[in-house]
Amino acid sequence: MLAHSIKRSSCYSFNSILRTLLKSGNFEKALHHFVQFRDQGFLPDNYTIPSLLKLLHDLHQPLHYRENIHSFAIKNGYLKDIFVTTGFVEMYFSFGCVASSRQLFDETPIKDVVLWTAMVSGFSHNGSGDLAVNFFSQMVGEGVKPNRITLTSVLAACSQLMVPNLGRSVHGFSIRNGIFSSDVLLETAFVDMEMIYENLREPESSILASLLQVCGGTSDLRHGREIHGHVTRSCRNMNSYMMVENNALIDMYAKAGDLNSAVLLFENVKNKNLVTWTTMISGYGMHGLGTEAAEAFNAMKKTGIIPDGVTFIALLSACSHGRLVDEGLQLYISMQRDYKIEPDMKHFACMVDIYARSGLLDQAFSFIKKMPVEPSEFIWASLLSSCRTYKNVVLGEQAAIKALAFNQYNTRVYILLSQLYADSGQWEDFSKVRLVMKDLGLKPTTAQSWVEVERKIYIFTVRDNMNPYSEKMYKLLETLTETMHKEGFVAYRSSGCHDITKEEKEHYKKSWIKRPVIFGWKSPY
DNA sequence: ATAGGGTTAG
């Protein structure tokens, strides 16, 4: 009895100290403290576990260690404590293990606002904005009242999904329920531009930045330029926060395809900070200008600005788009050796892409296998994409299986895999994939693109015949193709689902009858 | 009475 109470009180003070050390960022001391505690024969209690998970996160420890803590927590019945459950939910989300988080959530009988919020933000961070919004409405439906943190998370998901109306209704909801968040500004960003001119008040930098983000993302140069004009007119040049507007404008021009304007503005900006440089590097990169990106990086270093993790993401992705394998590897090494930056999932994804886009699929795969953390769904899907380009069915299948283990409903993965099969003439496998999609209720989506000409937006798709200019456009394409041939270029022609010959169609119809019941591949693991 | 969810212009 006495021993028990001593242990309990020791746990109490241990937990307090651990928490304090973590808060002040003394991770090494915190680890030392934990090791001492453990060596004295004490075991973590339910109060310790959330802190312990945070410690392992801060020390970049692999998933494996945390799974041990998960087993430990299960054995001791600590998952009855919602604080512990929430910790694990958050931890699995951070490793991209969405299914594990979801399972934990489902197994929790009584869910509070924090657990619900962890789900909303977890989905949002893993690129599932739709599920984030879905869980938010479930939560409201079950009578759990969201707070400002929940709203911040769900609004982030709304803006990710580009659904301003949903954002507006969330905003309306928060007003009706008396919940206010400074981040509802995010939603305001979607309010129509003309409204800004009618508004007496000067729009916040953050609103302008969000609007520019939308302009960049939709290649809406016209609105982007209008905002630029607005910023220039609104005598805020003397203010320091002009930095935010300029950086957002440079990014917008680069993303909307007008690299010249981006460079022009960049060169005219007097005080460039790390974000300005990184934006320009990333702009060059997305236009395939690896050399210019590298030059900008060198120029930045000369000014004494120290790059951070995001700068290296921009550089590595420039290498991947410019097929610069050796340069990418050198940067990846230098980042860790010279700047002490720990690579995270995004850097890993860039490295995989650098190898894979250059056709070095085996090197991409061995890089994945050597990663210290569980590769994300995105990494597998991007490997699959390159497997399709280079027609590597064996590796492509493995990548697809891995990606689908994260999310069974990833339409893009099925499409890529079926195209890979089609390109390789494996029509039976092609139809198998399409049937699995059909069983799951997934529809192949046709990619759309659009262009704005004289205030009118023209949307078009592959083999589009609906456009009144279709005939003219295809004639022009023919001329272009001819010119390319004359110049010595050979067009790569995909034999994807649009290009099925008569025999292949017959074959496809036949195999349609043989409905596979389950997903027909075995995991290589 | 010690713990869990969000936050950046790139």
Side-chain angles (χ1 to χ4, degrees), chain A residues 176-436:
Chain A
R176 280 196 303 282
N177 289 277
I179 305 154
F180 295 97
S181 159
S182 63
D183 290 272
V184 290
L185 289 175
L186 202 70
E187 188 269 329
T188 322
F190 291 108
V191 175
D192 193 51
M193 269 301 289
E194 307 313 319
M195 270 191 75
I196 278 195
Y197 290 111
E198 284 167 25
N199 216 335
L200 292 172
R201 206 167 50 88
E202 199 49 47
E204 300 276 337
S205 312
S206 63
I207 294 183
L208 287 175
S210 299
L211 279 167
L212 287 167
Q213 250 179 29
V214 175
C215 295
T218 58
S219 299
D220 189 347
L221 255 184
R222 187 169 64 82
H223 279 119
R225 287 196 184 111
E226 274 181 33
I227 299 172
H228 192 174
H230 179 84
V231 170
T232 313
R233 278 192 299 276
S234 66
C235 331
R236 51 169 84 200
N237 303 35
M238 301 310 286
N239 295 326
S240 60
Y241 54 76
M242 191 67 184
M243 181 76 92
V244 174
E245 281 88 340
N246 278 331
N247 292 343
L249 279 166
I250 294 167
D251 189 50
M252 180 278 294
Y253 278 123
K255 288 205 171 96
D258 187 353
L259 189 67
N260 285 337
S261 298
V263 174
L264 201 66
L265 183 57
F266 172 79
E267 283 173 350
N268 281 312
V269 169
K270 286 194 189 79
N271 46 342
K272 300 178 177 71
N273 69 1
L274 177 61
V275 177
T276 322
W277 285 101
T278 304
T279 307
M280 201 58 249
I281 291 169
S282 124
Y284 281 129
M286 60 182 76
H287 286 265
L289 301 169
T291 316
E292 283 80 352
E295 279 168 8
F297 180 54
N298 290 330
M300 182 191 93
K301 285 192 287 188
K302 274 194 191 142
T303 68
I305 292 174
I306 310 290
D308 70 0
V310 186
T311 316
F312 279 97
I313 291 170
L315 284 163
L316 293 174
S317 92
C319 290
S320 136
H321 289 289
R323 308 283 189 279
L324 304 166
V325 180
D326 293 335
E327 290 83 346
L329 186 59
Q330 286 311 313
L331 283 163
Y332 183 70
I333 293 166
S334 161
M335 162 178 128
Q336 297 168 77
R337 186 192 55 206
D338 305 331
Y339 300 98
K340 308 285 173 236
I341 299 167
E342 276 292 313
D344 66 22
M345 193 66 91
K346 283 191 172 152
H347 300 103
F348 299 141
C350 286
M351 287 310 293
V352 171
D353 219 36
I354 283 174
Y355 289 123
R357 274 182 197 257
S358 300
L360 304 169
L361 297 173
D362 292 332
Q363 292 189 46
F365 192 45
S366 53
F367 186 91
I368 290 177
K369 283 192 283 196
K370 273 188 268 170
M371 279 172 48
V373 294
E374 172 90 2
S376 66
E377 179 184 0
F378 177 82
I379 286 183
W380 291 115
S382 81
L383 179 66
L384 170 61
S385 171
S386 290
C387 286
R388 192 234 161 170
T389 309
Y390 295 101
K391 297 190 191 178
N392 187 330
V393 176
V394 177
L395 193 54
E397 279 175 348
Q398 293 184 34
I401 290 162
K402 284 296 202 172
L404 292 172
F406 279 97
N407 174 13
Q408 199 194 349
Y409 300 98
N410 190 336
T411 308
R412 186 179 135 78
V413 170
Y414 292 103
I415 296 286
L416 281 171
L417 185 61
S418 70
Q419 286 170 337
L420 171 62
Y421 283 139
D423 288 345
S424 315
Q426 292 179 220
W427 294 100
E428 207 162 310
D429 292 315
F430 170 86
S431 43
K432 265 189 203 167
V433 178
R434 304 303 281 234
L435 282 169
V436 173

Side-chain angles (χ1 to χ4, degrees), chain A residues 64-79:
Chain A
H64 171 72
Y65 288 15
R66 304 167 208 211
E67 283 171 335
N68 286 346
I69 302 176
H70 191 178
S71 331
F72 172 82
I74 293 169
K75 277 181 210 146
N76 288 278
Y78 290 152
L79 284 176

Side-chain angles (χ1 to χ4, degrees), chain A residues 60-101:
Chain A
H60 305 284
Q61 293 301 307
L63 180 61
H64 171 72
Y65 288 15
R66 304 167 208 211
E67 283 171 335
N68 286 346
I69 302 176
H70 191 178
S71 331
F72 172 82
I74 293 169
K75 277 181 210 146
N76 288 278
Y78 290 152
L79 284 176
K80 279 179 200 146
D81 185 332
I82 199 160
F83 282 69
V84 174
T85 309
T86 311
F88 284 114
V89 162
E90 208 256 321
M91 182 274 281
Y92 281 114
F93 268 129
S94 74
F95 277 90
C97 305
V98 177
S100 305
S101 295

